Amino acid sequence: YKAIPLLIVNDSGQCTGLFLDSPACQRWGLDQDLSGVASIELLSRRGWQLYSFGPATVAKIVEAYTVLTGRTKLPPLWALGHHQCRWSYPDEKTVRNIAHEFRSRKIPSDAIVLDIDYMDGYRVFTCCRERFPDFKSMVADLAQENFQVVTIVDPGVKKDPKYRVFTNGVKEDVFCKTASGKLFLDKVWPGTAAFPDFVREDVRQWWAQEHKFYVDLGVSGIWNDMNEPALFNNQKPLGDDVRELPNEQNQLFMQQAPEGLVGHFEVRNLYGMEMSHATHDGLIELRPNQRPFVLTRSGYAGVQRYAAVWLGDNISWYEHLAKSIPMLINMGLSGVAFCGADIGGFWQDCSAELLLRWYALGIFYPFCRNHCSLYGRPQEPWVWGADIEAKCRKLIETRYRLIPYIQSLFWEHLRTGAPLMRPLSWHYPNDAIATEIEDEFLFGKDILVAPILQRGKTMRSVYFPPGLWHSFEGGGHFQGGATHWVSFPLGHVPAFVRDGAIVPLADVVQNTAELHNSQITFVCYGESAQGVYFEDDGISFNYEQGQYNEWILTMENDKFTASVVHHGYELPSRKCAFLNKGKWCSVSLPDQRT
């Protein structure tokens, strides 16, 4: 789904990065025949640029790469919460019932995500009036319960002479055409459809303006799917055995690049990103000082400027649970910090055990969403009865307790390009064992996550980097530089905190709107420790004008100190506490005047 042609080669802690900036087809052969030779093939007739970074640490490579390609701005606070989705919640009654179940069962959640069946015949920028008779009132009522609504939007525009978006698109000449000048058409969900040429700036502006439909309904976020673009009649338009691009007459369609018309395969990997670019800009234009939330399936290098990503249509397999760790780590190393995978798996049937294991990992995904297919078993947290529900609730509550820490990680990414999910070698580059680990990861520098990834297992070996590590849920600590056998019962949070860390944790809330009135507890791990606490309004871009607060937290000789780094955001109701060695005390965070 995504094409980010960045390679980082690690040689004993010193890294070199290679970024081949071309949206055309590439093949990277990384010594697959063990001959000691690597190769890169680029199937393009256009220009290209090859960037080399380093030698440096992996952190410096990613920092430089994200200076070049951009970084994710702070997401809206609600987007850091738990999202619930299914293909599909088919009608208004079902959506309202899902929201009711979450709130009545006190399972935290912030977003309900609507797949393709909310639309009229899968026509984008429409709602089905029969199944959603008053979509706007539904969204408003959900907002009263602090639920945000996210709607899917695909690029395929149904060919229908009675459909305004299609007829207007034809009039404005925004759709892709074949080399012979005919309108390119293929089948996707609405049937025969046309496809906007998002490489063109005027087309992006046209698409951006269409999102007034969703903004007027009160929709909070947009989910861009099927935007490789996916075509039902041509799922793999360029074969693996192709050694040069076909001529223009044999490409799917033409697109208008800055130098003129080019075949689609020359710029194919830009399609999904430029669609998200248009969506992102449209939401900002329509809600100027409100952070947009865009989620995309397809993207190219730099997509992080416009959208979060998820890994696409995974399966309810333990193998896919396990693979999500190295895949999401690689997304982060490729500049895409806001990323996740469908919790529970999209295709096939999830079991109660798998769902719990997936939530135990998924609460540490930067983007946290439960999503499954119409053809599989439902997998909302309450489906398997009270015991499984209680364990899911506890895990999701942990996600919400961690949001102050997660906010600080996004703030760090904005300044340095650092991902939230990091390989152990990010902070321990000289540890040969840490370099080989791919079933654990660091969530920021202070939290180590080591989930159970196999059916029926309740224990696993965990490698701890040098230093002392404390169980996140209490009950012991582990000496680092060694592997330990650790028990993780179902519902247990599989995480450990580095000795010397101060982690800000919120009280349990039902949604992020409650966080501003929630007490924040600074939990100290170790005899002396340091941490960071960041806050702003979670909604606007005012932090870019200095309206945010940041403190350095320290604990030394049983004395807690909060030192102001910046204070530009007033939140007089904030309650804070400090926890050290099992003892609590209330604390106040100073501003620059005290």
Side-chain angles (χ1 to χ4, degrees):
Y1 297 120
K2 297 149 195 77
I4 303 179
L6 171 69
L7 174 68
I8 300 176
V9 180
N10 186 345
D11 184 5
S12 302
Q14 285 295 300
C15 297
T16 301
L18 292 175
F19 170 44
L20 179 52
D21 188 9
S22 169
C25 177
Q26 301 181 26
R27 293 191 185 91
W28 292 59
L30 303 182
D31 193 21
Q32 65 267 38
D33 57 1
L34 303 182
S35 65
V37 176
S39 65
I40 305 172
E41 293 179 76
L42 173 63
L43 276 61
S44 177
R45 302 184 183 96
R46 303 171 74 228
W48 49 272
Q49 289 176 297
L50 178 66
Y51 295 89
S52 176
F53 303 91
T57 63
V58 66
K60 287 296 184 181
I61 296 290
V62 174
E63 181 177 9
Y65 170 77
T66 54
V67 167
L68 178 67
T69 60
R71 294 172 184 161
T72 300
K73 292 191 175 184
L74 296 185
L77 185 62
W78 66 263
L80 305 184
H82 174 257
H83 298 226
Q84 181 64 48
C85 183
R86 192 180 186 196
W87 173 39
S88 270
Y89 295 132
D91 52 40
E92 182 176 323
K93 181 180 178 180
T94 303
V95 173
R96 290 180 180 273
N97 183 62
I98 292 293
H100 172 75
E101 293 295 328
F102 271 103
R103 291 295 180 252
S104 64
R105 296 172 184 272
K106 296 193 179 302
I107 302 172
S109 191
D110 264 86
I112 295 178
V113 186
L114 302 184
D115 213 312
I116 56 177
D117 289 315
Y118 79 88
M119 291 183 269
D120 177 15
Y122 308 131
R123 296 168 177 84
V124 291
F125 307 109
T126 69
C127 291
C128 177
R129 293 185 179 181
E130 179 180 350
R131 286 178 284 107
F132 291 86
D134 197 342
F135 196 96
K136 187 171 185 177
S137 292
M138 179 194 74
V139 173
D141 290 345
L142 292 174
Q144 289 295 314
E145 297 293 324
N146 291 319
F147 275 106
Q148 313 298 320
V149 173
V150 177
T151 51
I152 198 169
V153 179
D154 294 345
V157 176
K158 183 177 179 63
K159 181 187 177 186
D160 179 353
K162 297 180 181 180
Y163 173 34
R164 181 196 59 81
V165 180
F166 176 74
T167 56
N168 180 256
V170 171
K171 177 183 176 182
E172 298 294 330
D173 192 27
V174 302
F175 296 125
C176 296
K177 297 177 182 178
T178 65
S180 63
K182 294 182 179 180
L183 189 65
F184 172 78
L185 300 169
D186 207 307
K187 287 188 177 181
V188 282
W189 292 116
T192 302
F195 298 82
D197 183 0
F198 292 115
V199 173
R200 290 167 46 188
E201 183 178 1
D202 62 321
V203 175
R204 294 198 300 272
Q205 292 173 347
W206 174 81
W207 188 259
Q209 293 165 4
E210 288 293 330
H211 285 78
K212 186 176 186 301
F213 172 80
Y214 294 108
V215 171
D216 288 348
L217 291 174
V219 168
S220 298
I222 301 296
W223 168 20
N224 288 162
D225 195 21
M226 304 288 286
N227 57 345
E228 291 79 46
L231 307 170
F232 286 175
N233 289 337
N234 202 345
Q235 295 281 26
K236 199 169 186 179
L238 197 62
D240 290 338
D241 58 345
V242 172
R243 283 294 174 265
E244 64 177 328
L245 287 184
N247 59 38
E248 294 174 348
Q249 286 70 28
N250 293 323
Q251 296 203 28
L252 288 175
F253 49 82
M254 305 298 291
Q255 292 192 253
Q256 185 71 49
E259 70 270 28
L261 282 174
V262 297
H264 169 63
F265 294 133
E266 290 278 11
V267 291
R268 177 173 175 81
N269 291 327
L270 291 179
Y271 196 89
M273 184 176 80
E274 291 304 316
M275 179 187 182
S276 296
H277 184 178
T279 304
H280 170 274
D281 288 0
L283 293 179
I284 289 180
E285 183 177 345
L286 292 161
R287 294 188 292 229
N289 198 28
Q290 188 169 328
R291 301 176 201 172
F293 174 72
V294 181
L295 178 68
T296 185
R297 186 164 85 175
S298 182
Y300 179 68
V303 67
Q304 64 269 14
R305 291 172 288 170
Y306 311 120
V309 306
W310 92 110
L311 294 180
D313 294 348
N314 60 358
I315 305 177
S316 297
W317 293 346
Y318 282 86
E319 292 83 355
H320 282 198
L321 169 68
K323 284 183 177 181
S324 73
I325 295 177
M327 291 174 75
L328 290 173
I329 286 174
N330 273 296
M331 292 303 302
L333 295 178
S334 302
V336 186
F338 201 6
C339 55
D342 284 341
I343 292 173
F346 179 72
W347 290 113
Q348 300 187 10
D349 290 336
C350 185
S351 67
E353 180 189 354
L354 178 57
L355 184 69
L356 283 171
R357 292 306 187 194
W358 217 311
Y359 264 118
L361 169 58
I363 60 173
F364 295 98
Y365 291 161
F367 172 62
C368 177
R369 182 180 75 163
N370 180 328
H371 181 40
C372 70
S373 161
L374 172 71
Y375 300 107
R377 176 188 295 151
Q379 58 192 42
E380 290 83 13
W382 54 83
V383 167
W384 284 274
D387 180 59
I388 303 302
E389 176 186 335
K391 289 180 169 64
C392 284
R393 180 187 299 110
K394 174 197 163 188
L395 291 168
I396 297 170
E397 286 174 348
T398 301
R399 167 70 177 202
Y400 278 78
R401 295 189 66 212
L402 282 164
I403 284 181
Y405 180 75
I406 295 171
Q407 283 182 283
S408 72
L409 296 184
F410 273 106
W411 180 239
E412 182 183 359
H413 165 77
L414 184 60
R415 292 179 296 176
T416 70
L420 282 69
M421 293 177 66
R422 303 170 189 174
L424 272 58
S425 58
W426 182 278
H427 290 289
Y428 303 92
N430 298 318
D431 185 331
I433 298 176
T435 302
E436 297 298 320
I437 297 291
E438 64 174 25
D439 61 352
E440 306 172 21
F441 62 94
L442 293 167
F443 193 57
K445 71 176 180 179
D446 293 331
I447 296 178
L448 172 70
V449 182
I452 294 284
L453 302 171
Q454 295 173 301
R455 179 187 291 107
K457 301 291 185 181
T458 59
M459 301 186 74
R460 62 159 289 172
S461 62
V462 178
Y463 176 75
F464 293 91
L468 191 65
W469 294 84
H470 303 265
S471 172
F472 179 82
E473 294 191 310
H477 54 263
F478 301 85
Q479 189 61 51
T483 299
H484 296 263
W485 194 246
V486 185
S487 174
F488 294 109
L490 282 172
H492 189 87
V493 178
F496 307 86
V497 184
R498 180 183 60 83
D499 190 79
I502 297 177
V503 178
L505 298 177
D507 283 356
V508 172
V509 295
Q510 293 303 298
N511 52 77
T512 55
E514 298 177 0
L515 281 173
H516 285 310
N517 295 317
S518 168
Q519 176 172 284
I520 304 299
T521 300
F522 305 115
V523 184
C524 177
Y525 296 86
E527 295 296 324
S528 62
Q530 188 174 80
V532 174
Y533 180 61
F534 169 88
E535 65 181 7
D536 77 328
D537 64 21
I539 299 171
S540 74
F541 292 102
N542 291 345
Y543 68 88
E544 295 181 333
Q545 282 74 51
Q547 294 185 32
Y548 67 89
N549 301 331
E550 184 181 10
W551 294 269
I552 296 294
L553 314 173
T554 57
M555 202 282 293
E556 199 73 48
N557 298 322
D558 289 335
K559 180 181 179 181
F560 173 78
T561 305
S563 303
V564 175
V565 177
H566 180 87
H567 193 283
Y569 172 60
E570 295 296 334
L571 185 63
S573 62
R574 168 65 71 219
K575 295 176 290 185
C576 298
F578 177 62
L579 175 62
N580 180 35
K581 300 177 184 176
K583 297 179 181 179
W584 295 79
C585 66
S586 296
V587 299
S588 297
L589 294 178
D591 60 26
Q592 290 178 334
R593 296 183 298 274
T594 61

